[in-house]
Amino acid sequence: FTYTKYAKYWEKFGENSDYARFEAFFKQPVSVAVISSTVRINGRNFAGFTNPAEFTFTAPGDADSTVWDAISAALAANGCTFDGDGYLLRSVTDVNGVTLSVGTYGEACGWFYKLNGEGNQPAAGTNALADGDVIELFYTDNNEAEGIVPLV
C-alpha cells in the first residue's frame, strides 16, 4: 500500500525533474478504515450445547457488512454448522454434534440476537454493522419472555 510502481520511478529517477511528480507515491502512509465487532453465541445450556468462544469479526469499513456476516463468520470459525440465512437461523450444531433448532422446545423457541444489548432487531442480513458493535446470538425457549417479538 505504501510502495507502488510509480514510487519505483521516483526511487530510480528522483534526481530527474521529469519524475518529480512521482515523489507523492514514494513511501506514503495509507490508512484503511476497518470495523470490528464482537460476537457471542449462547445456547444457554439447552441439551448440553457447547458455547463457542467469543469471536471478533473484522471487515473493511466500506464493505457494507451486516450482523449476519458477523454471525455466520463466528459460527464457521468456531466449527459450528448451521442452517439459515440472514433472515432466519433455523438451527445451529455445536462442535459436539448438539443441534438446537427452531421449534424444538415449542413455538416460541429459536435463535435470536441482540445488538448492543437491544432486542427486537430487523433481520440480521439487513442490519448494518458499525465499529464496536456487540452481537449476542442466543437460543431461547420463550422469545416473548425475553422481550423479543419476531418481526413479521
Side-chain angles (χ1 to χ4, degrees), residues 2 5 11 27 46 57 62 76 83 100 106 131 140 144 147 149:
T2 62
K5 187 173 185 175
E11 191 172 41
K27 294 187 179 178
F46 280 94
F57 175 79
D62 61 353
D83 177 22
L100 295 178
D131 190 45
T140 183
E144 291 177 7
V149 178

Side-chain angles (χ1 to χ4, degrees), residues 88-114:
L88 175 63
L89 183 56
R90 289 175 280 284
S91 68
V92 175
T93 303
D94 72 8
V95 294
N96 297 314
V98 175
T99 301
L100 295 178
S101 301
V102 170
T104 301
Y105 294 96
E107 291 181 16
C109 77
W111 288 97
F112 297 90
Y113 78 95
K114 292 182 180 180

Side-chain angles (χ1 to χ4, degrees), residues 7-151:
K8 290 180 186 179
Y9 290 119
W10 169 254
E11 191 172 41
K12 188 171 183 178
F13 303 111
E15 303 289 322
N16 185 329
S17 62
D18 291 338
Y19 291 91
R21 66 182 182 268
F22 295 123
E23 181 180 15
F25 299 105
F26 186 69
K27 294 187 179 178
Q28 296 298 314
V30 174
S31 64
V32 177
V34 175
I35 62 164
S36 179
S37 300
T38 302
V39 181
R40 297 181 184 122
I41 301 167
N42 191 347
R44 297 187 172 168
N45 206 29
F46 280 94
F49 186 89
T50 301
N51 294 330
E54 183 173 287
F55 179 78
T56 300
F57 175 79
T58 56
D62 61 353
D64 295 328
S65 296
T66 65
V67 169
W68 176 249
D69 295 327
I71 288 172
S72 60
L75 290 168
N78 279 291
C80 296
T81 57
F82 57 92
D83 177 22
D85 52 36
Y87 297 93
L88 175 63
L89 183 56
R90 289 175 280 284
S91 68
V92 175
T93 303
D94 72 8
V95 294
N96 297 314
V98 175
T99 301
L100 295 178
S101 301
V102 170
T104 301
Y105 294 96
E107 291 181 16
C109 77
W111 288 97
F112 297 90
Y113 78 95
K114 292 182 180 180
L115 181 62
N116 301 320
E118 299 292 324
N120 290 328
Q121 297 289 328
T126 64
N127 203 353
L129 274 182
D131 190 45
D133 279 347
V134 176
I135 302 159
E136 180 192 0
L137 176 69
F138 63 94
Y139 188 81
T140 183
D141 63 350
N142 191 342
N143 63 293
E144 291 177 7
E146 300 277 350
I148 296 175
V149 178
L151 300 174

